[in-house]
Amino acid sequence: MPLTDPDRLFPADPATRDMARALYEGVKDLPIISPHGHCDPRWFAENARFPNPAELFVVPDHYVFRMLVSQGVPMPALGVPRVDGGETERDPRTIWRLFAEHYHLFRATPSGMWLDHSFEHVFGLDEKLSAKTADAYYDHIDACLAQDEFRPRALFERFNIEALATTEGALDDLQWHRMIRESGWQGRVITTYRPDAVVDPEFEGFAANIEQLGALTGENTVTWEGYLNAHRARRAYFKGFGATASDHGHPTARTEDLPQDEARMLFQKALAGLCSPAEADAFRGQMLTEMARMSLEDGLTLQIHAGARRNHSAQVFAQHGRDKGFDIPGRTDWVGALKPMLDAVGLEPGLRVILFTLDETVYSRELAPMAGAYPCLTLGPPWWFFDSHEGIIRFREATTETCGFYNTAGFNDDTRAFCSIPARHDVARRSDCTYLATLVATGRLSMEDAAEVAIDLTCNLARKAYRL
Amino acid sequence: MPLTDPDRLFPADPATRDMARALYEGVKDLPIISPHGHCDPRWFAENARFPNPAELFVVPDHYVFRMLVSQGVPMPALGVPRVDGGETERDPRTIWRLFAEHYHLFRATPSGMWLDHSFEHVFGLDEKLSAKTADAYYDHIDACLAQDEFRPRALFERFNIEALATTEGALDDLQWHRMIRESGWQGRVITTYRPDAVVDPEFEGFAANIEQLGALTGENTVTWEGYLNAHRARRAYFKGFGATASDHGHPTARTEDLPQDEARMLFQKALAGLCSPAEADAFRGQMLTEMARMSLEDGLTLQIHAGARRNHSAQVFAQHGRDKGFDIPGRTDWVGALKPMLDAVGLEPGLRVILFTLDETVYSRELAPMAGAYPCLTLGPPWWFFDSHEGIIRFREATTETCGFYNTAGFNDDTRAFCSIPARHDVARRSDCTYLATLVATGRLSMEDAAEVAIDLTCNLARKAYRL
Amino acid sequence: MPLTDPDRLFPADPATRDMARALYEGVKDLPIISPHGHCDPRWFAENARFPNPAELFVVPDHYVFRMLVSQGVPMPALGVPRVDGGETERDPRTIWRLFAEHYHLFRATPSGMWLDHSFEHVFGLDEKLSAKTADAYYDHIDACLAQDEFRPRALFERFNIEALATTEGALDDLQWHRMIRESGWQGRVITTYRPDAVVDPEFEGFAANIEQLGALTGENTVTWEGYLNAHRARRAYFKGFGATASDHGHPTARTEDLPQDEARMLFQKALAGLCSPAEADAFRGQMLTEMARMSLEDGLTLQIHAGARRNHSAQVFAQHGRDKGFDIPGRTDWVGALKPMLDAVGLEPGLRVILFTLDETVYSRELAPMAGAYPCLTLGPPWWFFDSHEGIIRFREATTETCGFYNTAGFNDDTRAFCSIPARHDVARRSDCTYLATLVATGRLSMEDAAEVAIDLTCNLARKAYRL
């Protein structure tokens, strides 16, 4: 018996299910376009084997280990590194067994579905993971990883990836991207410009980062103009490694369009470490508008990921650092927050801004009405916790009636878990086909149009939004 | 093949679909009651032919043209007039072709369904609109419009409209309503009292408007008492032209019940143009309570449409003015905002207040709990972006369990697109029948009760809420 | 014909319905665990007969009478007592008839389903309640109530209740619980520690309540330390009568972790009646953290019910007092509000905190992400207005993908309407089985796992969350 149902995520009603299956047949083998994510470019540069099952599936994936933590498993027992370098579990098999014993926690979660999909479709397993099968799983996956066809480039090709964007900080030298390019390998792995560390006055080491930005670019980054020019230079450098987009992860969606004098003064305050939290927020907001202006110059698509309250637990942050499953969404205002940027550049031809939210209430109330009016705005797919079957259905139901399909940007897997990429795109394709089939079954769309839309959602909208 | 599926919007499950179809049979031919909307009374007064397809379907309908604008079509190319009188496209056929080329943008949107319904059921078309069929469409519709049976009064009768309320500003002389009455035509077209221009201190020309209000009524509107009496006089005048309701479009739902001395001083500040934004909001809030008190005197139903952030794009507003598809909803608090008014008059017998929101999160959290307790409160149907199949289903699912059916007000089409009226009421009837059929199929309502409720939702609740 | 459909609340699709029915067969006869509610312990202590149908079903149930009030029925006509002792209807049969005449208002509401379930399954009625059947209903129920098998203890046993928690204020002497225990009756009725009156500086008579708290415990409650010790003493006293949990009903979810010096000063201000509303909120927030610390000592589970704007109508509160159907939910922030408490004790092993919200938007945005990370947090079931079929489905759909099943706490009936307890648990079991069947039908869960989860949701998760 397979781990994954061949008809999974299709509607229960038999006639509608048949329609969904037919639509899915038309898209299931299309190439994967992954225009935003967090894979490590080093994998493709070095093409070394993945070390072991625990380090592939558990230790680096905060989606996974936070669920065990929520049921009382201590983070160190899962091998999650400590900031102070203190003791954590080192035996991957022990970690794997602990994971396997708790696998029932993932029932009916997207993580569970992605994992089962990877186990079955990447590694050929067909029995459920449990305490009983833990060792057999471990041995089987570990043996696979030792084979050349399980190295990163081979998997990349097997996954039929047309393009994969990684995300690097503004100060990154892109050495792995350079190494990929110089290797002659044909896989299209591109970077994305993510300048949070030099845009957010509250980022650790902000002033030093700005200094480094100056050193890298030869610009005098203690002046506002030099600082902006340094961004221009780095954006160009990133474009040289394939970047077609920048990405901005801010706690709010605030934008500003201050007079340049005020922006200049605010920058000086930020450099001096004197910004209040409100001023820091204003500076980040100003920089979104500046980045939008640069996008008009260089054509990079601007992505805004707003609304995560990062590192919610002070203790987890102190002991284990960032990205440990304790980032919690919060209410996010978009309609007021984006107005300054939109008044500045919102009607400019050619500008592309993609919006990602963790507050689902804004889909129908704020994002779809804005995307259905402003030419520059496109809705990114459901993000993070909402990158799931129900999340995707809710997104389509809440947005399509107001902004249609053509103001949305296709799918992003947004993952650092390489093996889950095919699984995630498969969930998105199935969920979109289910939504489309429901429209057909209820007389809201013809089957012919639905088939065309399915292909657009799978490939064309992402290509267009990211200029890929 | 028809443009619209005869079973559209019914549930996919065959047995439930049969129930929905049976319920719909019981309501589909009932008369249309349209107690709130924005049709132009002049149409029915003059009964002139509609000029051409573009001016019927595209140019005046911001639902429609904003979707093309969102994909980069400039507003002037769609013939949308400019504030400065500058150049815009004047050839209706050119506009129509541009619209037809972009018709795929409306896939699975309510606009698309309303348009197809009008094309098929009003104009007898049966091929899909596209670049290829654009000219044939244009010619056919234009030829229809030249015939007497496509003039406004003939369509009004063919649409089986029992009553149609338009909306006029407090300073309107209601000449078209007078002309309708004097014409002897029997169609029931009534007005609605919409005093935003003389109630909102931030409205363009507020002080001059108040002066004109005084001139119209013979009241001394520079005093608070004279100002209130002038409202009484205008309400009576509007009642003389059939009005059974007033309507108030405010950015927030705020109400106030200030001591009369404070209200008087605030009014003077407003007249002098000295109100801060917060004071302007307070004054609008005070006026809602004053209007509720007047409703106790004269029996007009009070409608509150709150939460639109009007004219979100400063540039679009400057170039094209109001109502151009750039009104964006925002978060709206109702539970705190209505308390002052409810404490003042919320338990008074006979008062009817209908609430309309653009923030769907308040359905279950605020509006249904309040409507399920306060005798004066009734929930208006889903408004604007939410006047759609999914919007109606979400509304019923979120409110019925808490306040039942009998604290809701039936359907409003709220449109300025005359030909879409039958389409919109048809969508509402189908969606309500789908909701009711689902309740029957899942043992939550008997078929007999559902049939009765379907008729109530279609006609009786609107008649009762608006005293029609 | 039965009043309730045997397949009610199961999915419409036949195959999915069969799965739901099969899952329900596995849980329908399991014992009822009611770990949070508002039954009167006196019923079980005295075991007297319930007085009459109106006082059983209408007068004390604000779910029921507020619906009639919302349609213009005056509260006194329904026998709801007045604060001033003024005239209200006294004839239970007159009240019952008024209720019966308005019974159509409850169509498709949970109250309607609970009432029908009680009428049929507790009292054996099979014709619909209406004006016509009102007297027959009254006579039949009244005759039943005269029989021994309809006394509280007999019903408790017939309902198959394994444990029932009531809720008593911190100053309650628990005399009825003592009487139950001394009676030798084996029914497990336990208390819950609800200290709002001695924790909320805005509670009527706060200072006097604190004084009484001192008198009851022998602690010097005018000092912060004595006050905390008095809580410890009362918690121990309540544990002596079976309590396994405390419960806290606050307007917001705010928590604080002030330095003890500041907390001490705030307490003095509260005692002196000098707290501003913000300070009162801070004090309540501090006390949640203090209670969490005491939970670490004594093992009581901490329940937080946040977000009700109590007594929304000043007039209803003045005339009829608390709990009269005019408590309205409001927007509630959880992610910021809980941070101080979570930073203080959120990772402590053994702590159990159960969260209840009236703002459904926080399910997916705040509560599930936090419960899927913090080991101490568990999500309580949908509360109050959302304790309904759609409410339960929305809860599962919004939370399961992010925090799974095992960070939720099973079902609470949270009722003061004793006869509705089996009905409410039945709705929860059916709705959960419907949700699970949908997962199975769409390939997201195996039938075997679903059957196990169904039992966990019905019994095991409540037992674990409340240590029952």
Short mmCIF file of all heavy atoms in Angstrom, two decimals, chain A residues 8-10 12 17 66 70-71 107 110 128 312-315 328-329 331 359-360 388 390 394, chain C residues 16 335 339 343 347 361 364-365 371-375 397 401-402 406-407 441-442 444 449 452 464:
data_model
loop_
_atom_site.label_atom_id
_atom_site.label_comp_id
_atom_site.label_asym_id
_atom_site.label_seq_id
_atom_site.Cartn_x
_atom_site.Cartn_y
_atom_site.Cartn_z
N ARG A 8 -5.19 11.89 -3.37
CA ARG A 8 -5.19 12.78 -2.21
C ARG A 8 -5.47 14.23 -2.60
O ARG A 8 -5.04 14.68 -3.67
CB ARG A 8 -3.86 12.70 -1.46
CG ARG A 8 -2.67 13.18 -2.26
CD ARG A 8 -1.35 12.79 -1.58
NE ARG A 8 -0.19 13.16 -2.39
CZ ARG A 8 0.25 12.44 -3.43
NH1 ARG A 8 -0.36 11.31 -3.79
NH2 ARG A 8 1.31 12.84 -4.12
N LEU A 9 -6.19 14.91 -1.74
CA LEU A 9 -6.51 16.34 -1.87
C LEU A 9 -7.51 16.65 -2.96
O LEU A 9 -7.86 17.82 -3.16
CB LEU A 9 -5.24 17.19 -2.05
CG LEU A 9 -4.15 16.99 -1.01
CD1 LEU A 9 -2.99 17.96 -1.27
CD2 LEU A 9 -4.68 17.16 0.40
N PHE A 10 -7.99 15.62 -3.65
CA PHE A 10 -9.06 15.86 -4.61
C PHE A 10 -10.41 15.87 -3.87
O PHE A 10 -10.52 15.31 -2.78
CB PHE A 10 -9.06 14.79 -5.71
CG PHE A 10 -7.85 14.84 -6.61
CD1 PHE A 10 -7.41 13.70 -7.28
CD2 PHE A 10 -7.15 16.03 -6.81
CE1 PHE A 10 -6.30 13.74 -8.12
CE2 PHE A 10 -6.03 16.08 -7.64
CZ PHE A 10 -5.61 14.94 -8.30
N ALA A 12 -14.14 15.09 -2.49
CA ALA A 12 -14.77 13.82 -2.15
C ALA A 12 -15.86 13.46 -3.16
O ALA A 12 -16.04 12.28 -3.48
CB ALA A 12 -15.36 13.89 -0.74
N ARG A 17 -14.31 15.01 -8.33
CA ARG A 17 -12.99 14.37 -8.23
C ARG A 17 -12.45 14.00 -9.61
O ARG A 17 -11.27 14.22 -9.90
CB ARG A 17 -13.11 13.13 -7.35
CG ARG A 17 -11.89 12.24 -7.36
CD ARG A 17 -11.94 11.20 -6.28
NE ARG A 17 -11.85 11.84 -4.95
CZ ARG A 17 -11.36 11.23 -3.87
NH1 ARG A 17 -10.94 9.98 -3.93
NH2 ARG A 17 -11.32 11.86 -2.73
N ARG A 66 9.80 21.69 15.91
CA ARG A 66 8.97 22.44 16.86
C ARG A 66 7.74 21.63 17.28
O ARG A 66 7.21 21.82 18.36
CB ARG A 66 8.53 23.78 16.27
CG ARG A 66 7.76 23.64 14.99
CD ARG A 66 6.62 24.56 14.73
NE ARG A 66 5.81 23.89 13.73
CZ ARG A 66 4.50 23.81 13.76
NH1 ARG A 66 3.82 24.40 14.71
NH2 ARG A 66 3.84 23.14 12.84
N SER A 70 6.71 21.05 21.04
CA SER A 70 5.40 21.44 21.59
C SER A 70 4.81 20.35 22.46
O SER A 70 3.90 20.61 23.24
CB SER A 70 4.43 21.77 20.45
OG SER A 70 3.87 20.58 19.89
N GLN A 71 5.31 19.11 22.31
CA GLN A 71 4.82 18.02 23.15
C GLN A 71 5.84 17.63 24.21
O GLN A 71 5.78 16.53 24.77
CB GLN A 71 4.45 16.81 22.28
CG GLN A 71 3.18 17.05 21.47
CD GLN A 71 1.92 17.00 22.33
OE1 GLN A 71 1.71 16.05 23.07
NE2 GLN A 71 1.12 18.05 22.26
N ARG A 107 -0.03 13.77 12.09
CA ARG A 107 -1.26 13.35 11.41
C ARG A 107 -2.02 14.58 10.89
O ARG A 107 -2.27 15.52 11.64
CB ARG A 107 -2.17 12.61 12.39
CG ARG A 107 -1.72 11.20 12.65
CD ARG A 107 -2.59 10.58 13.74
NE ARG A 107 -2.14 9.20 13.98
CZ ARG A 107 -2.47 8.49 15.06
NH1 ARG A 107 -3.24 9.04 16.00
NH2 ARG A 107 -2.03 7.26 15.20
N PRO A 110 0.51 19.36 6.98
CA PRO A 110 1.27 19.39 5.73
C PRO A 110 2.65 18.78 5.89
O PRO A 110 3.13 18.08 4.99
CB PRO A 110 1.35 20.88 5.38
CG PRO A 110 0.75 21.63 6.50
CD PRO A 110 0.05 20.68 7.40
N LYS A 128 4.51 2.80 6.90
CA LYS A 128 4.42 4.02 7.69
C LYS A 128 5.60 4.15 8.65
O LYS A 128 6.02 3.16 9.25
CB LYS A 128 3.12 4.03 8.48
CG LYS A 128 2.39 5.32 8.32
CD LYS A 128 0.94 5.38 8.72
CE LYS A 128 0.46 4.60 9.90
NZ LYS A 128 -0.99 4.90 10.12
N HIS A 312 9.79 34.60 19.18
CA HIS A 312 8.80 34.96 20.19
C HIS A 312 9.25 34.55 21.58
O HIS A 312 9.03 35.28 22.55
CB HIS A 312 7.46 34.29 19.84
CG HIS A 312 6.30 34.73 20.66
ND1 HIS A 312 5.88 34.06 21.78
CD2 HIS A 312 5.47 35.79 20.53
CE1 HIS A 312 4.82 34.69 22.30
NE2 HIS A 312 4.55 35.74 21.56
N SER A 313 9.91 33.42 21.69
CA SER A 313 10.39 32.98 23.00
C SER A 313 11.80 33.51 23.24
O SER A 313 12.75 33.11 22.56
CB SER A 313 10.41 31.46 23.09
OG SER A 313 11.15 31.06 24.24
N ALA A 314 11.93 34.37 24.25
CA ALA A 314 13.25 34.93 24.56
C ALA A 314 14.23 33.81 24.93
O ALA A 314 15.41 33.86 24.56
CB ALA A 314 13.12 35.93 25.70
N GLN A 315 13.74 32.81 25.63
CA GLN A 315 14.62 31.73 26.08
C GLN A 315 15.11 30.87 24.92
O GLN A 315 16.30 30.54 24.84
CB GLN A 315 13.85 30.89 27.11
CG GLN A 315 14.71 29.85 27.81
CD GLN A 315 13.90 29.03 28.82
OE1 GLN A 315 12.87 29.49 29.32
NE2 GLN A 315 14.37 27.82 29.10
N ILE A 328 6.05 33.69 15.36
CA ILE A 328 4.59 33.63 15.43
C ILE A 328 4.02 34.79 14.61
O ILE A 328 4.49 35.92 14.76
CB ILE A 328 4.11 33.71 16.89
CG1 ILE A 328 4.88 32.72 17.79
CG2 ILE A 328 2.61 33.49 16.98
CD1 ILE A 328 4.61 31.27 17.52
N PRO A 329 3.03 34.52 13.78
CA PRO A 329 2.42 35.63 13.03
C PRO A 329 1.65 36.58 13.95
O PRO A 329 1.28 36.22 15.06
CB PRO A 329 1.42 34.91 12.10
CG PRO A 329 1.84 33.49 12.07
CD PRO A 329 2.47 33.22 13.40
N ARG A 331 -1.26 40.17 13.74
CA ARG A 331 -2.15 40.97 12.89
C ARG A 331 -1.33 41.91 12.05
O ARG A 331 -0.37 42.52 12.54
CB ARG A 331 -3.07 41.84 13.77
CG ARG A 331 -4.34 41.17 14.18
CD ARG A 331 -5.43 42.19 14.46
NE ARG A 331 -5.10 43.14 15.49
CZ ARG A 331 -5.53 43.09 16.74
NH1 ARG A 331 -6.32 42.11 17.14
NH2 ARG A 331 -5.20 44.03 17.59
N ASP A 359 -1.33 36.87 7.86
CA ASP A 359 -2.62 37.23 8.46
C ASP A 359 -3.68 36.98 7.39
O ASP A 359 -3.91 37.81 6.52
CB ASP A 359 -2.59 38.70 8.88
CG ASP A 359 -3.89 39.14 9.53
OD1 ASP A 359 -4.88 38.40 9.46
OD2 ASP A 359 -3.89 40.25 10.09
N GLU A 360 -4.32 35.81 7.46
CA GLU A 360 -5.25 35.42 6.41
C GLU A 360 -6.45 36.35 6.30
O GLU A 360 -7.13 36.35 5.27
CB GLU A 360 -5.75 33.99 6.65
CG GLU A 360 -4.67 32.93 6.53
CD GLU A 360 -5.24 31.54 6.77
OE1 GLU A 360 -5.63 31.25 7.91
OE2 GLU A 360 -5.31 30.76 5.81
N SER A 388 -0.43 25.01 2.61
CA SER A 388 -1.05 23.73 2.96
C SER A 388 -2.34 23.61 2.17
O SER A 388 -2.79 24.60 1.58
CB SER A 388 -1.38 23.74 4.45
OG SER A 388 -2.31 24.79 4.72
N GLU A 390 -5.59 23.26 3.08
CA GLU A 390 -6.65 24.18 3.53
C GLU A 390 -6.22 25.63 3.30
O GLU A 390 -7.03 26.49 2.95
CB GLU A 390 -6.97 23.99 5.02
CG GLU A 390 -7.47 22.61 5.42
CD GLU A 390 -8.87 22.30 4.95
OE1 GLU A 390 -9.57 23.20 4.45
OE2 GLU A 390 -9.27 21.13 5.08
N ARG A 394 -8.32 28.21 1.11
CA ARG A 394 -8.82 29.46 1.70
C ARG A 394 -8.32 30.68 0.90
O ARG A 394 -9.06 31.64 0.70
CB ARG A 394 -8.35 29.59 3.16
CG ARG A 394 -9.12 28.73 4.13
CD ARG A 394 -8.93 29.19 5.59
NE ARG A 394 -7.58 29.06 6.07
CZ ARG A 394 -7.12 28.03 6.79
NH1 ARG A 394 -7.92 27.02 7.12
NH2 ARG A 394 -5.87 27.99 7.21
N THR C 16 -18.30 9.66 1.99
CA THR C 16 -17.70 10.32 3.15
C THR C 16 -18.62 10.19 4.35
O THR C 16 -18.17 10.01 5.50
CB THR C 16 -17.42 11.80 2.82
OG1 THR C 16 -16.87 11.90 1.51
CG2 THR C 16 -16.45 12.40 3.82
N VAL C 335 -0.71 36.96 20.64
CA VAL C 335 0.72 36.70 20.42
C VAL C 335 1.59 37.67 21.22
O VAL C 335 2.60 37.29 21.82
CB VAL C 335 1.03 36.70 18.90
CG1 VAL C 335 0.78 38.03 18.26
CG2 VAL C 335 2.45 36.26 18.64
N LYS C 339 3.20 36.85 25.70
CA LYS C 339 4.66 36.77 25.71
C LYS C 339 5.27 36.88 27.11
O LYS C 339 6.13 36.06 27.48
CB LYS C 339 5.26 37.81 24.75
CG LYS C 339 6.76 37.61 24.50
CD LYS C 339 7.29 38.55 23.45
CE LYS C 339 8.75 38.29 23.08
NZ LYS C 339 9.65 37.72 24.05
N ASP C 343 7.53 33.95 28.41
CA ASP C 343 8.95 34.14 28.70
C ASP C 343 9.28 33.73 30.13
O ASP C 343 10.38 33.25 30.41
CB ASP C 343 9.37 35.60 28.44
CG ASP C 343 9.66 35.84 26.96
OD1 ASP C 343 9.87 34.85 26.22
OD2 ASP C 343 9.67 37.01 26.53
N LEU C 347 8.34 27.42 29.00
CA LEU C 347 9.04 26.19 28.64
C LEU C 347 9.18 25.23 29.83
O LEU C 347 9.85 24.21 29.74
CB LEU C 347 10.43 26.52 28.07
CG LEU C 347 10.43 27.46 26.85
CD1 LEU C 347 11.86 27.84 26.48
CD2 LEU C 347 9.74 26.84 25.65
N THR C 361 -10.24 34.67 14.24
CA THR C 361 -9.11 34.97 13.35
C THR C 361 -7.78 34.56 13.97
O THR C 361 -6.80 34.41 13.25
CB THR C 361 -9.02 36.46 12.99
OG1 THR C 361 -8.65 37.23 14.14
CG2 THR C 361 -10.34 36.98 12.46
N SER C 364 -5.67 30.41 13.33
CA SER C 364 -4.57 30.03 12.43
C SER C 364 -3.39 30.99 12.54
O SER C 364 -2.26 30.62 12.28
CB SER C 364 -5.06 29.97 10.98
OG SER C 364 -5.33 31.26 10.47
N ARG C 365 -3.68 32.22 12.94
CA ARG C 365 -2.62 33.23 12.92
C ARG C 365 -1.80 33.22 14.20
O ARG C 365 -0.59 33.46 14.19
CB ARG C 365 -3.25 34.62 12.73
CG ARG C 365 -2.25 35.72 12.49
CD ARG C 365 -3.00 37.05 12.36
NE ARG C 365 -3.78 37.34 13.54
CZ ARG C 365 -4.96 37.97 13.53
NH1 ARG C 365 -5.49 38.38 12.40
NH2 ARG C 365 -5.61 38.18 14.66
N ALA C 371 0.66 27.12 19.99
CA ALA C 371 0.46 25.79 20.58
C ALA C 371 1.33 24.75 19.91
O ALA C 371 1.68 23.75 20.53
CB ALA C 371 -1.02 25.39 20.47
N GLY C 372 1.69 25.00 18.64
CA GLY C 372 2.57 24.08 17.92
C GLY C 372 4.03 24.28 18.24
O GLY C 372 4.90 23.66 17.62
N ALA C 373 4.33 25.14 19.22
CA ALA C 373 5.72 25.38 19.60
C ALA C 373 5.89 25.26 21.12
O ALA C 373 6.68 24.46 21.60
CB ALA C 373 6.18 26.74 19.11
N TYR C 374 5.15 26.03 21.89
CA TYR C 374 5.32 26.03 23.35
C TYR C 374 4.77 24.75 23.98
O TYR C 374 3.59 24.42 23.79
CB TYR C 374 4.59 27.22 23.97
CG TYR C 374 5.31 28.53 23.75
CD1 TYR C 374 4.95 29.39 22.73
CD2 TYR C 374 6.36 28.90 24.58
CE1 TYR C 374 5.61 30.60 22.53
CE2 TYR C 374 7.04 30.10 24.39
CZ TYR C 374 6.66 30.94 23.36
OH TYR C 374 7.34 32.12 23.17
N PRO C 375 5.57 24.07 24.78
CA PRO C 375 5.08 22.83 25.38
C PRO C 375 3.92 23.02 26.36
O PRO C 375 3.13 22.10 26.56
CB PRO C 375 6.31 22.24 26.09
CG PRO C 375 7.34 23.32 26.10
CD PRO C 375 7.01 24.29 25.01
N GLU C 397 -10.23 23.05 10.90
CA GLU C 397 -9.60 23.39 9.61
C GLU C 397 -8.50 24.44 9.80
O GLU C 397 -7.51 24.44 9.08
CB GLU C 397 -10.65 23.91 8.63
CG GLU C 397 -11.53 22.79 8.10
CD GLU C 397 -12.57 23.26 7.09
OE1 GLU C 397 -12.77 24.49 6.97
OE2 GLU C 397 -13.19 22.40 6.44
N GLU C 401 -3.65 21.86 10.69
CA GLU C 401 -2.48 21.85 9.82
C GLU C 401 -1.25 22.44 10.51
O GLU C 401 -0.13 22.11 10.16
CB GLU C 401 -2.78 22.61 8.53
CG GLU C 401 -3.83 21.89 7.68
CD GLU C 401 -4.01 22.52 6.32
OE1 GLU C 401 -3.91 23.77 6.24
OE2 GLU C 401 -4.25 21.81 5.36
N THR C 402 -1.47 23.31 11.47
CA THR C 402 -0.34 23.97 12.12
C THR C 402 0.07 23.31 13.43
O THR C 402 1.25 23.19 13.73
CB THR C 402 -0.66 25.46 12.34
OG1 THR C 402 -0.80 26.08 11.07
CG2 THR C 402 0.45 26.16 13.11
N TYR C 406 -2.83 16.96 18.67
CA TYR C 406 -2.38 16.63 20.03
C TYR C 406 -2.00 17.84 20.86
O TYR C 406 -1.61 17.71 22.01
CB TYR C 406 -1.30 15.55 19.96
CG TYR C 406 -1.91 14.27 19.44
CD1 TYR C 406 -1.89 13.95 18.09
CD2 TYR C 406 -2.62 13.46 20.31
CE1 TYR C 406 -2.53 12.82 17.61
CE2 TYR C 406 -3.26 12.31 19.84
CZ TYR C 406 -3.22 12.00 18.50
OH TYR C 406 -3.87 10.88 18.04
N ASN C 407 -2.14 19.02 20.28
CA ASN C 407 -2.04 20.25 21.06
C ASN C 407 -3.41 20.86 21.32
O ASN C 407 -3.51 22.05 21.60
CB ASN C 407 -1.13 21.24 20.34
CG ASN C 407 0.34 20.83 20.41
OD1 ASN C 407 0.90 20.71 21.50
ND2 ASN C 407 0.95 20.59 19.26
N ALA C 441 -11.38 10.81 3.34
CA ALA C 441 -11.89 10.77 1.96
C ALA C 441 -10.97 11.52 0.99
O ALA C 441 -10.98 11.25 -0.20
CB ALA C 441 -13.29 11.38 1.91
N THR C 442 -10.18 12.43 1.51
CA THR C 442 -9.29 13.19 0.64
C THR C 442 -7.83 12.79 0.84
O THR C 442 -6.92 13.56 0.53
CB THR C 442 -9.47 14.70 0.87
OG1 THR C 442 -9.25 14.98 2.26
CG2 THR C 442 -10.87 15.16 0.49
N ARG C 444 -5.86 12.32 3.39
CA ARG C 444 -4.96 13.01 4.32
C ARG C 444 -4.75 12.25 5.62
O ARG C 444 -3.97 12.67 6.47
CB ARG C 444 -5.50 14.42 4.60
CG ARG C 444 -5.35 15.32 3.41
CD ARG C 444 -5.84 16.72 3.71
NE ARG C 444 -7.24 16.89 3.42
CZ ARG C 444 -7.96 17.96 3.73
NH1 ARG C 444 -7.40 18.96 4.39
NH2 ARG C 444 -9.24 18.05 3.41
N ASP C 449 -5.99 5.50 11.57
CA ASP C 449 -5.56 6.63 12.39
C ASP C 449 -6.76 7.50 12.79
O ASP C 449 -6.81 8.00 13.92
CB ASP C 449 -4.56 7.50 11.61
CG ASP C 449 -3.17 6.88 11.55
OD1 ASP C 449 -2.97 5.80 12.15
OD2 ASP C 449 -2.28 7.47 10.90
N GLU C 452 -8.54 6.21 15.79
CA GLU C 452 -7.79 6.46 17.03
C GLU C 452 -7.90 7.92 17.44
O GLU C 452 -8.11 8.23 18.62
CB GLU C 452 -6.33 6.07 16.78
CG GLU C 452 -5.50 5.96 18.04
CD GLU C 452 -4.06 5.57 17.71
OE1 GLU C 452 -3.85 4.54 17.02
OE2 GLU C 452 -3.13 6.30 18.14
N LYS C 464 -6.16 14.20 29.59
CA LYS C 464 -4.76 14.60 29.72
C LYS C 464 -4.64 16.10 30.04
O LYS C 464 -3.89 16.50 30.94
CB LYS C 464 -4.04 14.27 28.41
CG LYS C 464 -2.56 14.56 28.43
CD LYS C 464 -1.93 14.22 27.07
CE LYS C 464 -0.66 15.03 26.87
NZ LYS C 464 -0.43 15.41 25.47
#
